[in-house]
Amino acid sequence: MVDEALSAGAVARRLGVAVTTLRTWHQRYGLGPSEHVPGHHRRYTPADLARLEIMRRLTAEGVSPAEAARWARQAPDSSPNGTVAPSRIHPPGRDGGGSIPVGRAGPAARGLARAAMRLDAAAISETIAHALATSGVVATWEGLLRPVLAGIGERHAATAGLIEVEHLVSRCVSEALAAASRARVPTGPARILLSCADEEQHTLPLEALAAALAEAGVSYRMLGARVPVAALVEAVNRTGPAAVVLWSHTRVTADPAQLSALLAAPRRPLLALAAGPGWRADALPAGVVRPVDLAEAVSLAAAVRDSLDQSTRD
């Protein structure tokens, strides 16, 4: 843990709780920031953060807030790296719960994973909104949301559990991305068409792309989940998009025939993007591009939009 004092917002993101929860713990149980510089807000020291980590972990395990606060206040000094030894965190008879693996993702992702395990919708939404406002859509997706969503999927595959966690987090992510899209409505014609493959129900990555395009000032249409190939071709013929992004999360939904039908449409797009891990690069029809990540998909869509706009002006 870093040695510098932290703001309430930074502590909330590290712990995966809402700022209002920190205020409550401060007002009711005396677990507040201890560093004070005249003329500035109080800041949380590493020792404060260690006590709050005890409070967070115990309340997540079902200990009453008053009892958890008593244990937190009685905790010995924190270790040199600003954390508390595991033996000091749990009262006798308490066993730590499971966690969501996030790999090498940073403190914000670990905090979001903890909030997800507690089903704390307020903290989840607050963490995502802050990341979107400060880091943008692409960085938030790659560094925060994707690691946590992948970790939930990994835990589910191993335990067949966390369905309720996945549903809650997905709803919070979807709402946050929709709000980000509404905050920056691009002007001009919608040159990009976004669609899931037939029977594909995983829409969050496509929603992230929509929010990233809006952030970049690129207008788009999104058809959403489970779009039959006939409906996709009809939409292409009716709107004449410059680029079509077809998302597939699994091999089951990644039928290359859908892309072939798209390229055979009377108003075929200038660019067809096969996005998502479902597509096999060696099975794609000639002329289809498979972006490696969200940033590349945004760049390609913006480039083809700009190219078409330039040709229209000329």
Side-chain angles (χ1 to χ4, degrees), residues 49-270:
L49 188 59
R51 285 188 286 271
L52 289 169
E53 171 63 23
I54 296 173
M55 181 72 173
R56 180 205 62 77
R57 187 170 298 189
L58 294 182
T59 54
E61 293 171 9
V63 179
S64 71
E67 181 185 353
R70 180 172 63 84
W71 278 91
R73 289 193 299 268
Q74 292 176 355
D77 291 338
S78 59
S79 61
N81 66 353
T83 61
V84 176
S87 61
R88 298 173 179 172
I89 294 178
H90 301 288
R94 293 288 178 179
D95 182 29
S99 61
I100 297 170
V102 295
R104 296 183 178 180
R110 293 193 292 273
L112 181 60
R114 288 191 286 263
M117 288 298 292
R118 296 196 313 277
L119 299 179
D120 188 342
I124 293 170
S125 298
E126 186 176 290
T127 300
I128 298 172
H130 180 271
L132 289 170
T134 57
S135 302
V137 176
V138 173
T140 296
W141 178 258
E142 297 292 353
L144 177 67
L145 300 179
R146 197 168 78 164
V148 173
L149 291 168
I152 294 172
E154 181 180 326
R155 278 289 308 278
H156 174 71
T159 67
L162 297 195
I163 295 176
E164 72 288 352
V165 174
E166 189 273 334
H167 280 218
L168 178 63
V169 173
S170 294
R171 181 181 64 80
C172 291
V173 171
S174 184
E175 290 176 351
L177 292 174
S181 297
R182 291 192 298 269
R184 300 187 182 184
V185 179
T187 58
R191 304 289 196 189
I192 314 300
L193 181 65
L194 310 179
S195 174
C196 283
D198 194 5
E199 297 303 324
E200 178 57 66
Q201 301 186 65
H202 294 81
T203 63
L204 286 183
L206 205 62
E207 294 172 41
L209 176 55
L213 289 173
E215 187 176 64
V218 179
S219 296
Y220 64 88
R221 290 184 178 88
M222 184 159 71
L223 301 182
R226 303 179 65 180
V227 180
V229 64
L232 175 63
V233 171
E234 175 63 20
V236 169
N237 289 334
R238 291 173 64 184
T239 62
V244 174
V245 180
L246 192 59
W247 170 265
S248 172
H249 186 73
T250 65
R251 293 287 171 86
V252 175
T253 61
D255 183 357
Q258 299 171 85
L259 295 166
S260 297
L262 177 64
L263 296 176
R267 299 185 67 182
R268 61 171 289 174
L270 297 175

